[in-house]
Amino acid sequence: MNATLIEGRRLRLRRANVTDIGYIMALQYAPENLKFIVPFDEDYHRQIIADGTRKLNIIIEEIDTGTAAGYFMLRELDTPCAEFTHVVIGRKGLGYGREALNLLLDWTFAVKKFHRVWIDCMEHNEIALHLYERAGFVREGLLREYMLTDGAWENLVVFGMLSREYSALRPT
Ligand SMILES: CC(C)(COP(=O)(O)OP(=O)(O)OC[C@H]1O[C@@H](n2cnc3c(N)ncnc32)[C@H](O)[C@@H]1OP(=O)(O)O)[C@@H](O)C(=O)NCCC(=O)NCCS
């Protein structure tokens, strides 16, 4: 099976394999990422990679160097409505988050024909909120005091995008 899902100007998205699990675990637990995501254990990542249909771990890779620059985790791929569960960039501030997210939207809507994609985000995660809004996601709601983090309740912002909204953003 070809591991490459889609390529852009600087980045490609490819299916993760078991040799990527160490990279994914290190990114999850890096303090600058851990404060914004809920990590999964190694066994769960192994199951996702073995499954590869309903859930998917995707490595974001620099085309020029072949070096990993981050990863995505997707769930609910056996429904018309995919969930983007983890969006994590290792090499931050280079525009990779924006480019990789646009590639992921191209793959989910233009290639895989999902009807809708959605993601949730901690309300204080200003960079991610900006990233999703700039990519064209619509703020759909707020899950109030949904997560208890270090003794404080956090709100989660829910973002969604429909296939027709994606098409309007990328007229052919
Ligand atoms: C959120 C994240 C994915 C963004 O990836 P990135 O590659 O660093 O972001 P980019 O360089 O593509 O920048 C995206 C936008 O955010 C802005 N931005 C990036 N870093 C910033 C910073 N430190 N301060 C303010 N704005 C910033 C950029 O200016 C850009 O805005 P623009 O499109 O209007 O020019 C990355 O910071 C990350 O992995 N964070 C930790 C994990 C996380 O929070 N994941 C999301 C969970 S919901």
Side-chain angles (χ1 to χ4, degrees):
M1 189 193 310
N2 184 358
T4 299
L5 302 174
I6 191 165
E7 283 194 357
R9 193 168 59 84
R10 297 180 295 172
L11 301 173
R12 79 165 60 88
L13 306 187
R14 68 161 173 84
R15 286 174 186 275
N17 58 58
V18 284
T19 65
D20 297 308
I21 288 178
Y23 174 73
I24 291 170
M25 295 305 290
L27 268 194
Q28 280 190 153
Y29 283 96
E32 66 274 21
N33 300 326
L34 191 55
K35 60 187 173 186
F36 295 124
I37 62 163
V38 177
F40 293 103
D41 65 26
E42 202 169 316
D43 278 350
Y44 189 71
H45 285 291
R46 277 185 197 283
Q47 283 171 28
I48 292 175
I49 288 167
D51 170 333
T53 54
R54 288 166 300 169
K55 304 183 182 85
L56 194 59
N57 273 336
I58 293 174
I59 297 294
I60 303 158
E61 196 169 77
E62 292 177 342
I63 292 173
D64 280 356
T65 64
T67 306
Y71 83 99
F72 293 123
M73 185 196 291
L74 275 59
R75 293 195 297 203
E76 301 177 9
L77 298 179
D78 54 343
T79 78
C81 307
E83 179 190 3
F84 296 175
T85 314
H86 279 181
V87 172
V88 183
I89 295 293
R91 304 200 58 205
K92 300 189 201 322
L94 299 173
Y96 282 173
R98 195 165 153 202
E99 183 176 337
L101 185 62
N102 283 331
L103 281 173
L104 186 61
L105 290 169
D106 291 344
W107 183 72
T108 44
F109 285 122
V111 180
K112 302 303 282 187
K113 310 291 184 196
F114 280 91
H115 174 63
R116 157 191 169 81
V117 301
W118 66 280
I119 190 163
D120 62 51
C121 181
M122 292 177 187
E123 198 179 24
H124 73 275
N125 190 350
E126 288 176 11
I127 298 174
L129 296 178
H130 175 75
L131 178 72
Y132 302 143
E133 276 173 341
R134 187 92 202 277
F137 278 86
V138 174
R139 266 187 202 235
E140 297 182 329
L142 188 72
L143 304 180
R144 295 176 306 148
E145 300 194 6
Y146 190 80
M147 292 181 57
L148 190 59
T149 309
D150 296 332
W153 285 103
E154 295 249 18
N155 295 337
L156 283 187
V157 181
V158 177
F159 287 96
M161 190 185 294
L162 304 176
S163 59
R164 61 179 176 274
E165 292 165 345
Y166 166 83
S167 300
L169 290 170
R170 311 259 205 294
T172 47

